[in-house]
Amino acid sequence: ISNSGGSPSRYNDLVHVIAPRDRHDGASILQMARYGDVFLSSQYDQGDDGFLYKYELIYQTTQDDANGFKLPPASRISTAPVGLGSGTDVERYRWHFMTKNNRAQDNFDPIMAYNQHFGKSGTAFELGLDELVDVDELLRGFAYAVISGAGDNVGAGSTHNGMYYVKPDGRVTFLPHDMDYQYSATRSIFPNNEVTKLTDTPSNPENAARRRIYLGHLYDIATTSWNDSYMSTWSTHLNTLDPDSYWSRTLTHMEDRANNVLGQINTSIPLVSFSLTTASPLTVGSSTATVSGEGWVNVREFRISFEGVAGPLTAVEWTDGDSWTAQIPVFPGSHTYTIEAYDFSGALVGTDTIIVNNTSPGEPPSAANLVVSELMYNPAAPTAAEVAAGVIDADQFEFIELF
């Protein structure tokens, strides 16, 4: 996780445990920083103001021994699948989504809202989703859990062993957790309700766009970190510290899992080369032009290059798993523009060019023709009349005027 990035990574160390019973001696993980306030504050701005919930089962034992002590294993297990009707009663969440920080606030509202939202469908599900969930980071977190091939955690579809974090901005994300059991190299990459809900209907443009984001995360992790090429160095190193453990076997699983995941990605969205599909030359009568093209899941961002000057291209919309449209700025006259595609690591993965003839005299906004003419910063507190009208935050009066 530390190498490929995109999701907070815990700092752990390898230790050798000498236990009271010899059979328990051996290598173990020393968790230097779990998902606590210190960790969250180091990874997010004012991260300890957010709320962390551990997703779990409720285990009930109904048998006891002659002394009245409860006996394992649990004879009854209660579950609370995400989005499947836990309702609005906070007590239905308290023991399934246990608070791990800021306990004194007893705040279950964010995780209740998350559960209730995933119980919706269609337009109701799309409405307000981006305000409630950091979809990109959530999918990145799930991608780490899924690519591990581990079972018995929420990433694999289990109704426990997951960590949900509500960031200070109020949006929910998923933190990889408890990926150490029931490994399988052939698990589906669409294993749980949340990933399925966000990506399962390719005919829905929103789902199709999210599907390519999710598959892009999996592809990035598999090709940069979760593979023999990168991990063999660590496997060799750890084997020198702990030769009695299973590092070679783990490396084999990782390579098998990476190959399986890459195969599932190609099945879901077949590989296409980055290209423009809009015919060239293109004639427009304004300072912007709409162009379209194709790109695979490895495309993370766009840049536009004109006469040796390149800059980010942000007005891009993915209309399905491999098709995109973009609004590009164009200057008067006929000029050649280069569209560049970059992957998650910032490496160039494709380019294409188009000639655009802008018949209008208008130029796109740039440093040469745009100025900040007025700004309002740190305004006075709202008046009584403004408060009565519903404006309670002075920051709502801040603005920047461009000319």
Side-chain angles (χ1 to χ4, degrees), residues 282-291 326-335 337 356-365:
L282 172 66
T283 300
V284 298
S286 68
S287 59
T288 60
T290 300
V291 298
Q327 298 287 325
I328 65 172
V330 292
F331 291 86
S334 182
H335 302 280
Y337 300 86
V356 181
N357 180 26
N358 176 10
T359 60
S360 75
E363 292 190 4

Side-chain angles (χ1 to χ4, degrees), residues 44-353:
Y44 298 94
D45 184 26
Q46 298 180 330
D48 57 339
D49 289 340
F51 295 91
L52 183 67
Y53 303 90
K54 185 175 186 293
Y55 185 35
E56 260 305 345
L57 301 169
I58 297 177
Y59 300 87
Q60 298 171 285
T61 59
T62 58
Q63 299 178 350
D64 54 20
D65 61 17
N67 297 314
F69 297 116
K70 293 180 179 180
L71 293 173
S75 54
R76 185 182 303 154
I77 298 176
S78 299
T79 66
V82 171
L84 297 183
S86 293
T88 59
D89 181 3
V90 67
E91 300 305 325
R92 298 284 299 273
Y93 298 85
R94 185 176 301 279
W95 301 111
H96 287 295
F97 294 90
M98 297 181 291
T99 54
K100 304 301 289 183
N101 72 334
N102 294 323
R103 290 188 174 96
Q105 297 188 39
D106 196 35
N107 182 14
F108 289 87
D109 290 345
I111 200 65
M112 290 171 64
Y114 179 83
N115 273 267
Q116 291 159 21
H117 199 88
F118 273 84
K120 300 176 182 179
S121 59
T123 303
F125 177 72
E126 298 298 334
L127 187 63
L129 174 66
D130 290 330
E131 289 73 31
L132 181 66
V133 182
D134 187 332
V135 174
D136 187 40
E137 187 174 322
L138 181 96
L139 291 174
R140 183 77 175 189
F142 273 124
Y144 278 115
V146 168
I147 202 170
S148 73
D152 198 42
N153 68 76
V154 67
S158 297
T159 51
H160 74 143
N161 288 340
M163 301 293 279
Y164 293 90
Y165 173 58
V166 183
K167 303 196 293 185
D169 65 8
R171 294 181 299 162
V172 179
T173 188
F174 177 80
L175 302 179
H177 174 69
D178 209 342
M179 302 174 292
D180 60 1
Y181 184 54
Q182 294 181 340
Y183 291 106
S184 170
T186 59
R187 290 188 187 279
S188 169
I189 58 175
F190 300 101
N192 62 62
N193 291 337
E194 292 136 281
V195 169
T196 299
K197 188 84 172 183
L198 290 165
T199 66
D200 71 340
T201 311
S203 59
N204 176 359
E206 288 83 2
N207 275 21
R210 290 190 293 258
R211 175 180 285 245
R212 67 163 304 280
I213 291 173
Y214 172 62
L215 297 181
H217 285 308
L218 286 170
Y219 180 84
D220 177 58
I221 297 167
T223 54
T224 62
S225 305
W226 192 273
N227 56 65
D228 181 272
S229 177
Y230 174 73
M231 290 303 301
S232 59
T233 300
W234 288 103
S235 176
T236 301
H237 172 66
L238 293 170
N239 194 62
T240 62
L241 301 175
D242 178 34
D244 295 329
S245 201
Y246 48 86
W247 303 111
S248 296
R249 189 167 74 249
T250 299
L251 191 62
T252 299
H253 164 75
M254 295 181 76
E255 184 70 7
D256 290 345
R257 178 59 175 162
N259 289 332
N260 179 268
V261 167
L262 293 174
Q264 291 190 61
I265 292 172
N266 276 282
T267 298
S268 181
I269 299 181
L271 176 66
V272 297
S273 298
F274 179 79
S275 66
L276 282 157
T277 56
T278 300
S280 180
L282 172 66
T283 300
V284 298
S286 68
S287 59
T288 60
T290 300
V291 298
S292 301
E294 293 183 336
W296 199 47
V297 300
N298 59 338
V299 176
R300 180 64 168 174
E301 63 180 43
F302 291 74
R303 297 178 194 170
I304 183 170
S305 176
F306 169 69
E307 295 185 352
V309 179
L313 181 60
T314 57
V316 180
E317 179 183 358
W318 289 90
T319 55
D320 59 31
D322 58 13
S323 303
W324 54 269
T325 62
Q327 298 287 325
I328 65 172
V330 292
F331 291 86
S334 182
H335 302 280
T336 300
Y337 300 86
T338 301
I339 309 299
E340 304 170 340
Y342 291 82
D343 66 11
F344 287 71
S345 299
L348 182 67
V349 294
T351 65
D352 205 350
T353 60

